[in-house]
Amino acid sequence: MLCTRCRIRTAVTDDGLCTFCSGTRPPLPDGATAPVPATGLGLGPGSGPGSGSGSGGWAVGTWPRSPVGLSRAVIALLGCVIASDLFVIGAGLHLRGLWEGLAADESLDIYTDPGLRAQELYDRAGTAQTAAFLATGVLFIIWFHRTRRNAEVFESGVQRMGPGWAVGGWFVPIANLWFPYRVASGIWEASVRLHPDGGWRTVPKTVLNLWWGGWIVSVLVSRIAVSQWDRAREPEQISDAAALVAAADALDAVAAVLAIVFVRAVTRMQVERAGTRRASTVPGRTAPGSTAP
């Protein structure tokens, strides 16, 4: 009989759960015990990929790797995205004001120094925004893939898509509006810390849903704004398009804030889950929140 929860592994308990879903693990051969890493949860100096390869540490193979360092870098870059969005919004609204004035009074000349400087400032702001977005996107996907690999260690039975989709899902047209969310949903469910008795605990996906909803709305509005900007020819049309572009940039800043909240939440949950996992496999230690027998 298959496990009633993951529907993948064979049920071994009276209530129809497998060893993974029931919170139990088979013993190591010949009475061996897993080594205890000197670096604890891998959150201090000397931790990171390749360190603390024993039980409960952040390591490679069958043990999770710490997402903490990557999360800090991603959050810092998301801050740069927010700053660049605000910069481009200010420059864009200034340029819009010039076009709006030209639409009201065609005798105005905005093609001289004031207009050229405004356009140059807007171009530089756009370049900074693009650079911040690309750098953040690369590092975010690296962090996203690492948390997906960790989720495979924590609870592989709840994963809807393979680890490769944590990267590839972002680059498939149309599907990239949904695939990353499915990956993120599996990460969220697997990263939740179990109850002290090993039972399943559910955490609402409010943060996940807000982040993904904000991202999708930002992407769609941005595409509409860019399309309108490219088609604009008359001063009034350019002014209206500039306003829509500024609104899209504001939504992008909101999406970046929600992304920071999401990154912090997932990283915190995986740290807690790894701590529980370490305590449950190291003799003489108890999981956080549990009582010693």
Side-chain angles (χ1 to χ4, degrees), residues 15 26 53 56 112 114 120 132 165 187 196 222 242 291:
D15 53 354
S53 59
T112 54
E120 183 180 0
W165 287 109
I187 294 172
S222 178
T291 57

Side-chain angles (χ1 to χ4, degrees), residues 7-243:
R7 301 288 182 180
I8 295 178
R9 304 178 183 86
T10 302
V12 297
T13 63
D14 294 336
D15 53 354
L17 299 179
C18 65
T19 56
F20 280 78
C21 294
S22 63
T24 62
R25 297 293 187 273
L28 295 175
D30 301 326
T33 59
V36 181
T39 54
L41 289 181
L43 303 182
S47 62
S51 65
S53 59
S55 166
W58 297 105
V60 297
T62 58
W63 295 97
R65 298 175 61 184
S66 174
V68 174
L70 282 174
S71 71
R72 291 171 178 167
V74 170
I75 290 172
L77 285 178
L78 284 168
C80 293
V81 169
I82 295 172
S84 66
D85 284 336
L86 296 177
F87 180 25
V88 80
I89 288 173
L93 291 178
H94 175 57
L95 184 63
R96 175 181 180 269
L98 295 178
W99 284 104
E100 194 174 31
L102 181 60
D105 184 1
E106 296 184 356
S107 64
L108 292 178
D109 184 8
I110 67 170
Y111 301 100
T112 54
D113 287 346
L116 292 178
R117 285 198 300 269
Q119 183 64 52
E120 183 180 0
L121 179 64
Y122 186 65
D123 291 342
R124 290 181 178 178
T127 300
Q129 184 187 46
T130 301
F133 178 82
L134 292 176
T136 304
V138 170
L139 204 57
F140 179 89
I141 290 176
I142 294 174
W143 170 86
F144 195 59
H145 182 260
R146 175 167 295 186
T147 57
R148 173 59 184 85
R149 294 295 297 270
N150 289 345
E152 191 77 16
V153 176
F154 295 143
E155 294 292 343
S156 60
V158 300
Q159 303 307 314
R160 299 166 180 81
M161 307 188 74
W165 287 109
V167 178
W170 297 94
F171 301 99
V172 180
I174 307 301
N176 57 12
L177 299 177
W178 179 247
F179 279 10
Y181 176 82
R182 287 176 59 84
V183 175
S185 182
I187 294 172
W188 187 274
E189 292 176 10
S191 301
V192 174
R193 190 175 67 183
L194 301 177
H195 285 298
D197 60 359
W200 194 265
R201 188 165 66 97
T202 302
V203 174
K205 298 180 181 179
T206 305
V207 171
L208 168 63
N209 293 334
L210 286 175
W211 161 65
W212 189 249
W215 165 253
I216 293 299
V217 170
S218 171
V219 169
L220 295 180
V221 173
S222 178
R223 292 179 180 178
I224 295 173
V226 170
S227 177
Q228 183 171 333
W229 177 266
D230 291 339
R231 294 196 309 268
R233 293 294 181 267
E234 299 298 324
E236 186 175 357
Q237 294 176 339
I238 296 176
S239 176
D240 292 341

